[in-house]
Amino acid sequence: MDKSFVTTAAIGAAAGALIGAGAAVIVGTQKGEQIRSTVLDATEALREVGPQVNEKGHALTEKSQEVTGIVKETLSATKELKEDAVSAARDVKSGVQDSMRTSGTGDKPKDGSAGSM
């Protein structure tokens, strides 16, 4: 299903729910002619505002797609940075171990303890 359709449908459902709730309040407290007048006014207001709400919904969809792209890029860069850090740590560890082996300090501690690294 197209994201813009889902967004438009969700906006329409929300607007319908608000109108329905408003109508329920109005119906409970007004007479027929007043109700018709109020419903017509609300319908006209919705016709005027509807396209703007739809446009804002599309803009929101576009922004959310932009944010999703940025988050994916950031996650990828973070994973790459982690891999580089792990690789660098392994290189340092290997270098220290090689240095200890070649210098002869890796055999036994000179102070008589059983210490380890």
Side-chain angles (χ1 to χ4, degrees), residues 21-47:
V25 169
I26 292 167
V27 169
T29 60
Q30 293 181 349
K31 300 208 182 236
E33 185 59 38
Q34 292 173 325
I35 293 170
R36 281 190 289 277
S37 174
T38 304
V39 169
L40 288 174
D41 290 345
T43 302
E44 184 60 32
L46 183 59
R47 283 186 184 143

PDB file of all heavy atoms in Angstrom, residues 21-47:
ATOM      1  N   ALA A  21     -17.347  13.419  16.809  1.00  0.00           N
ATOM      2  CA  ALA A  21     -17.426  13.756  18.229  1.00  0.00           C
ATOM      3  C   ALA A  21     -18.087  15.110  18.412  1.00  0.00           C
ATOM      4  O   ALA A  21     -18.929  15.297  19.308  1.00  0.00           O
ATOM      5  CB  ALA A  21     -16.029  13.750  18.848  1.00  0.00           C
ATOM      6  N   GLY A  22     -17.705  16.060  17.557  1.00  0.00           N
ATOM      7  CA  GLY A  22     -18.327  17.386  17.629  1.00  0.00           C
ATOM      8  C   GLY A  22     -19.813  17.324  17.343  1.00  0.00           C
ATOM      9  O   GLY A  22     -20.619  17.963  18.025  1.00  0.00           O
ATOM     10  N   ALA A  23     -20.187  16.539  16.359  1.00  0.00           N
ATOM     11  CA  ALA A  23     -21.603  16.393  16.009  1.00  0.00           C
ATOM     12  C   ALA A  23     -22.379  15.763  17.162  1.00  0.00           C
ATOM     13  O   ALA A  23     -23.512  16.167  17.451  1.00  0.00           O
ATOM     14  CB  ALA A  23     -21.754  15.560  14.747  1.00  0.00           C
ATOM     15  N   ALA A  24     -21.764  14.793  17.839  1.00  0.00           N
ATOM     16  CA  ALA A  24     -22.450  14.144  18.966  1.00  0.00           C
ATOM     17  C   ALA A  24     -22.732  15.145  20.081  1.00  0.00           C
ATOM     18  O   ALA A  24     -23.806  15.146  20.684  1.00  0.00           O
ATOM     19  CB  ALA A  24     -21.610  12.990  19.487  1.00  0.00           C
ATOM     20  N   VAL A  25     -21.786  16.009  20.351  1.00  0.00           N
ATOM     21  CA  VAL A  25     -21.981  17.035  21.381  1.00  0.00           C
ATOM     22  C   VAL A  25     -23.065  18.008  20.953  1.00  0.00           C
ATOM     23  O   VAL A  25     -23.937  18.380  21.737  1.00  0.00           O
ATOM     24  CB  VAL A  25     -20.648  17.772  21.664  1.00  0.00           C
ATOM     25  CG1 VAL A  25     -20.880  19.001  22.525  1.00  0.00           C
ATOM     26  CG2 VAL A  25     -19.653  16.844  22.319  1.00  0.00           C
ATOM     27  N   ILE A  26     -23.018  18.382  19.691  1.00  0.00           N
ATOM     28  CA  ILE A  26     -23.991  19.352  19.177  1.00  0.00           C
ATOM     29  C   ILE A  26     -25.399  18.763  19.184  1.00  0.00           C
ATOM     30  O   ILE A  26     -26.358  19.415  19.600  1.00  0.00           O
ATOM     31  CB  ILE A  26     -23.600  19.794  17.744  1.00  0.00           C
ATOM     32  CG1 ILE A  26     -22.319  20.610  17.807  1.00  0.00           C
ATOM     33  CG2 ILE A  26     -24.712  20.589  17.092  1.00  0.00           C
ATOM     34  CD1 ILE A  26     -21.671  20.835  16.447  1.00  0.00           C
ATOM     35  N   VAL A  27     -25.534  17.538  18.746  1.00  0.00           N
ATOM     36  CA  VAL A  27     -26.847  16.892  18.659  1.00  0.00           C
ATOM     37  C   VAL A  27     -27.485  16.781  20.043  1.00  0.00           C
ATOM     38  O   VAL A  27     -28.691  16.919  20.189  1.00  0.00           O
ATOM     39  CB  VAL A  27     -26.721  15.498  18.000  1.00  0.00           C
ATOM     40  CG1 VAL A  27     -27.996  14.700  18.133  1.00  0.00           C
ATOM     41  CG2 VAL A  27     -26.354  15.655  16.541  1.00  0.00           C
ATOM     42  N   GLY A  28     -26.697  16.574  21.027  1.00  0.00           N
ATOM     43  CA  GLY A  28     -27.232  16.422  22.377  1.00  0.00           C
ATOM     44  C   GLY A  28     -27.792  17.708  22.954  1.00  0.00           C
ATOM     45  O   GLY A  28     -28.577  17.667  23.888  1.00  0.00           O
ATOM     46  N   THR A  29     -27.413  18.853  22.428  1.00  0.00           N
ATOM     47  CA  THR A  29     -27.823  20.112  23.063  1.00  0.00           C
ATOM     48  C   THR A  29     -28.577  21.075  22.152  1.00  0.00           C
ATOM     49  O   THR A  29     -28.976  22.130  22.607  1.00  0.00           O
ATOM     50  CB  THR A  29     -26.566  20.839  23.598  1.00  0.00           C
ATOM     51  OG1 THR A  29     -25.687  21.094  22.508  1.00  0.00           O
ATOM     52  CG2 THR A  29     -25.869  20.018  24.654  1.00  0.00           C
ATOM     53  N   GLN A  30     -28.785  20.755  20.863  1.00  0.00           N
ATOM     54  CA  GLN A  30     -29.431  21.708  19.959  1.00  0.00           C
ATOM     55  C   GLN A  30     -30.616  21.080  19.232  1.00  0.00           C
ATOM     56  O   GLN A  30     -30.737  19.874  19.121  1.00  0.00           O
ATOM     57  CB  GLN A  30     -28.415  22.198  18.925  1.00  0.00           C
ATOM     58  CG  GLN A  30     -27.305  23.024  19.518  1.00  0.00           C
ATOM     59  CD  GLN A  30     -26.339  23.513  18.445  1.00  0.00           C
ATOM     60  OE1 GLN A  30     -26.396  23.082  17.317  1.00  0.00           O
ATOM     61  NE2 GLN A  30     -25.462  24.427  18.833  1.00  0.00           N
ATOM     62  N   LYS A  31     -31.438  21.949  18.676  1.00  0.00           N
ATOM     63  CA  LYS A  31     -32.596  21.514  17.901  1.00  0.00           C
ATOM     64  C   LYS A  31     -32.228  21.344  16.436  1.00  0.00           C
ATOM     65  O   LYS A  31     -31.148  21.735  16.010  1.00  0.00           O
ATOM     66  CB  LYS A  31     -33.709  22.545  18.055  1.00  0.00           C
ATOM     67  CG  LYS A  31     -34.131  22.713  19.497  1.00  0.00           C
ATOM     68  CD  LYS A  31     -35.552  23.148  19.579  1.00  0.00           C
ATOM     69  CE  LYS A  31     -35.864  23.346  21.045  1.00  0.00           C
ATOM     70  NZ  LYS A  31     -36.929  22.643  21.545  1.00  0.00           N
ATOM     71  N   GLY A  32     -33.107  20.770  15.641  1.00  0.00           N
ATOM     72  CA  GLY A  32     -32.873  20.408  14.254  1.00  0.00           C
ATOM     73  C   GLY A  32     -32.260  21.482  13.369  1.00  0.00           C
ATOM     74  O   GLY A  32     -31.252  21.261  12.711  1.00  0.00           O
ATOM     75  N   GLU A  33     -32.856  22.651  13.325  1.00  0.00           N
ATOM     76  CA  GLU A  33     -32.344  23.718  12.457  1.00  0.00           C
ATOM     77  C   GLU A  33     -30.951  24.153  12.884  1.00  0.00           C
ATOM     78  O   GLU A  33     -30.081  24.385  12.050  1.00  0.00           O
ATOM     79  CB  GLU A  33     -33.300  24.927  12.477  1.00  0.00           C
ATOM     80  CG  GLU A  33     -32.918  26.034  11.528  1.00  0.00           C
ATOM     81  CD  GLU A  33     -32.859  25.589  10.068  1.00  0.00           C
ATOM     82  OE1 GLU A  33     -33.701  24.766   9.631  1.00  0.00           O
ATOM     83  OE2 GLU A  33     -31.951  26.064   9.353  1.00  0.00           O
ATOM     84  N   GLN A  34     -30.734  24.243  14.177  1.00  0.00           N
ATOM     85  CA  GLN A  34     -29.411  24.607  14.685  1.00  0.00           C
ATOM     86  C   GLN A  34     -28.386  23.540  14.314  1.00  0.00           C
ATOM     87  O   GLN A  34     -27.256  23.866  13.951  1.00  0.00           O
ATOM     88  CB  GLN A  34     -29.451  24.781  16.208  1.00  0.00           C
ATOM     89  CG  GLN A  34     -30.250  25.986  16.662  1.00  0.00           C
ATOM     90  CD  GLN A  34     -30.395  26.012  18.171  1.00  0.00           C
ATOM     91  OE1 GLN A  34     -30.511  24.972  18.806  1.00  0.00           O
ATOM     92  NE2 GLN A  34     -30.406  27.222  18.741  1.00  0.00           N
ATOM     93  N   ILE A  35     -28.799  22.280  14.421  1.00  0.00           N
ATOM     94  CA  ILE A  35     -27.890  21.179  14.092  1.00  0.00           C
ATOM     95  C   ILE A  35     -27.501  21.238  12.622  1.00  0.00           C
ATOM     96  O   ILE A  35     -26.324  21.134  12.274  1.00  0.00           O
ATOM     97  CB  ILE A  35     -28.538  19.813  14.426  1.00  0.00           C
ATOM     98  CG1 ILE A  35     -28.699  19.672  15.943  1.00  0.00           C
ATOM     99  CG2 ILE A  35     -27.703  18.662  13.874  1.00  0.00           C
ATOM    100  CD1 ILE A  35     -29.528  18.480  16.354  1.00  0.00           C
ATOM    101  N   ARG A  36     -28.477  21.417  11.737  1.00  0.00           N
ATOM    102  CA  ARG A  36     -28.189  21.499  10.308  1.00  0.00           C
ATOM    103  C   ARG A  36     -27.240  22.655  10.007  1.00  0.00           C
ATOM    104  O   ARG A  36     -26.285  22.510   9.238  1.00  0.00           O
ATOM    105  CB  ARG A  36     -29.484  21.649   9.512  1.00  0.00           C
ATOM    106  CG  ARG A  36     -30.238  20.350   9.326  1.00  0.00           C
ATOM    107  CD  ARG A  36     -31.377  20.509   8.331  1.00  0.00           C
ATOM    108  NE  ARG A  36     -32.474  21.312   8.863  1.00  0.00           N
ATOM    109  CZ  ARG A  36     -33.448  20.836   9.648  1.00  0.00           C
ATOM    110  NH1 ARG A  36     -33.451  19.571   9.977  1.00  0.00           N
ATOM    111  NH2 ARG A  36     -34.400  21.628  10.084  1.00  0.00           N
ATOM    112  N   SER A  37     -27.501  23.779  10.604  1.00  0.00           N
ATOM    113  CA  SER A  37     -26.648  24.947  10.382  1.00  0.00           C
ATOM    114  C   SER A  37     -25.216  24.672  10.859  1.00  0.00           C
ATOM    115  O   SER A  37     -24.247  24.977  10.162  1.00  0.00           O
ATOM    116  CB  SER A  37     -27.229  26.152  11.122  1.00  0.00           C
ATOM    117  OG  SER A  37     -26.344  27.251  11.024  1.00  0.00           O
ATOM    118  N   THR A  38     -25.096  24.095  12.024  1.00  0.00           N
ATOM    119  CA  THR A  38     -23.775  23.802  12.581  1.00  0.00           C
ATOM    120  C   THR A  38     -23.040  22.768  11.737  1.00  0.00           C
ATOM    121  O   THR A  38     -21.837  22.913  11.466  1.00  0.00           O
ATOM    122  CB  THR A  38     -23.903  23.302  14.036  1.00  0.00           C
ATOM    123  OG1 THR A  38     -24.615  24.278  14.799  1.00  0.00           O
ATOM    124  CG2 THR A  38     -22.540  23.080  14.655  1.00  0.00           C
ATOM    125  N   VAL A  39     -23.750  21.726  11.294  1.00  0.00           N
ATOM    126  CA  VAL A  39     -23.133  20.690  10.462  1.00  0.00           C
ATOM    127  C   VAL A  39     -22.690  21.278   9.129  1.00  0.00           C
ATOM    128  O   VAL A  39     -21.599  20.983   8.634  1.00  0.00           O
ATOM    129  CB  VAL A  39     -24.080  19.483  10.261  1.00  0.00           C
ATOM    130  CG1 VAL A  39     -23.566  18.548   9.197  1.00  0.00           C
ATOM    131  CG2 VAL A  39     -24.266  18.743  11.577  1.00  0.00           C
ATOM    132  N   LEU A  40     -23.511  22.124   8.537  1.00  0.00           N
ATOM    133  CA  LEU A  40     -23.132  22.773   7.278  1.00  0.00           C
ATOM    134  C   LEU A  40     -21.902  23.665   7.464  1.00  0.00           C
ATOM    135  O   LEU A  40     -21.009  23.679   6.611  1.00  0.00           O
ATOM    136  CB  LEU A  40     -24.302  23.583   6.718  1.00  0.00           C
ATOM    137  CG  LEU A  40     -25.462  22.758   6.146  1.00  0.00           C
ATOM    138  CD1 LEU A  40     -26.629  23.675   5.749  1.00  0.00           C
ATOM    139  CD2 LEU A  40     -25.009  21.938   4.965  1.00  0.00           C
ATOM    140  N   ASP A  41     -21.862  24.396   8.560  1.00  0.00           N
ATOM    141  CA  ASP A  41     -20.689  25.238   8.841  1.00  0.00           C
ATOM    142  C   ASP A  41     -19.434  24.369   9.016  1.00  0.00           C
ATOM    143  O   ASP A  41     -18.366  24.703   8.490  1.00  0.00           O
ATOM    144  CB  ASP A  41     -20.907  26.077  10.105  1.00  0.00           C
ATOM    145  CG  ASP A  41     -21.950  27.170   9.903  1.00  0.00           C
ATOM    146  OD1 ASP A  41     -22.293  27.468   8.740  1.00  0.00           O
ATOM    147  OD2 ASP A  41     -22.419  27.718  10.927  1.00  0.00           O
ATOM    148  N   ALA A  42     -19.579  23.283   9.741  1.00  0.00           N
ATOM    149  CA  ALA A  42     -18.437  22.393   9.965  1.00  0.00           C
ATOM    150  C   ALA A  42     -17.987  21.756   8.655  1.00  0.00           C
ATOM    151  O   ALA A  42     -16.783  21.618   8.396  1.00  0.00           O
ATOM    152  CB  ALA A  42     -18.804  21.304  10.977  1.00  0.00           C
ATOM    153  N   THR A  43     -18.933  21.380   7.811  1.00  0.00           N
ATOM    154  CA  THR A  43     -18.608  20.785   6.522  1.00  0.00           C
ATOM    155  C   THR A  43     -17.858  21.779   5.648  1.00  0.00           C
ATOM    156  O   THR A  43     -16.857  21.442   5.010  1.00  0.00           O
ATOM    157  CB  THR A  43     -19.888  20.309   5.807  1.00  0.00           C
ATOM    158  OG1 THR A  43     -20.558  19.377   6.642  1.00  0.00           O
ATOM    159  CG2 THR A  43     -19.583  19.677   4.474  1.00  0.00           C
ATOM    160  N   GLU A  44     -18.332  23.014   5.634  1.00  0.00           N
ATOM    161  CA  GLU A  44     -17.669  24.055   4.849  1.00  0.00           C
ATOM    162  C   GLU A  44     -16.255  24.311   5.370  1.00  0.00           C
ATOM    163  O   GLU A  44     -15.310  24.442   4.593  1.00  0.00           O
ATOM    164  CB  GLU A  44     -18.483  25.352   4.870  1.00  0.00           C
ATOM    165  CG  GLU A  44     -17.914  26.446   4.005  1.00  0.00           C
ATOM    166  CD  GLU A  44     -17.829  26.057   2.530  1.00  0.00           C
ATOM    167  OE1 GLU A  44     -18.681  25.279   2.048  1.00  0.00           O
ATOM    168  OE2 GLU A  44     -16.902  26.536   1.856  1.00  0.00           O
ATOM    169  N   ALA A  45     -16.110  24.348   6.687  1.00  0.00           N
ATOM    170  CA  ALA A  45     -14.786  24.562   7.280  1.00  0.00           C
ATOM    171  C   ALA A  45     -13.852  23.413   6.905  1.00  0.00           C
ATOM    172  O   ALA A  45     -12.673  23.630   6.589  1.00  0.00           O
ATOM    173  CB  ALA A  45     -14.899  24.682   8.794  1.00  0.00           C
ATOM    174  N   LEU A  46     -14.378  22.190   6.920  1.00  0.00           N
ATOM    175  CA  LEU A  46     -13.567  21.022   6.558  1.00  0.00           C
ATOM    176  C   LEU A  46     -13.166  21.079   5.089  1.00  0.00           C
ATOM    177  O   LEU A  46     -12.029  20.750   4.740  1.00  0.00           O
ATOM    178  CB  LEU A  46     -14.317  19.728   6.850  1.00  0.00           C
ATOM    179  CG  LEU A  46     -13.543  18.441   6.572  1.00  0.00           C
ATOM    180  CD1 LEU A  46     -12.260  18.397   7.407  1.00  0.00           C
ATOM    181  CD2 LEU A  46     -14.383  17.226   6.866  1.00  0.00           C
ATOM    182  N   ARG A  47     -14.061  21.515   4.220  1.00  0.00           N
ATOM    183  CA  ARG A  47     -13.726  21.646   2.803  1.00  0.00           C
ATOM    184  C   ARG A  47     -12.605  22.658   2.598  1.00  0.00           C
ATOM    185  O   ARG A  47     -11.754  22.495   1.728  1.00  0.00           O
ATOM    186  CB  ARG A  47     -14.956  22.065   2.002  1.00  0.00           C
ATOM    187  CG  ARG A  47     -15.910  20.940   1.761  1.00  0.00           C
ATOM    188  CD  ARG A  47     -17.035  21.361   0.832  1.00  0.00           C
ATOM    189  NE  ARG A  47     -17.975  20.272   0.696  1.00  0.00           N
ATOM    190  CZ  ARG A  47     -19.283  20.424   0.608  1.00  0.00           C
ATOM    191  NH1 ARG A  47     -19.814  21.633   0.634  1.00  0.00           N
ATOM    192  NH2 ARG A  47     -20.062  19.383   0.487  1.00  0.00           N
TER     193      ARG A  47
END
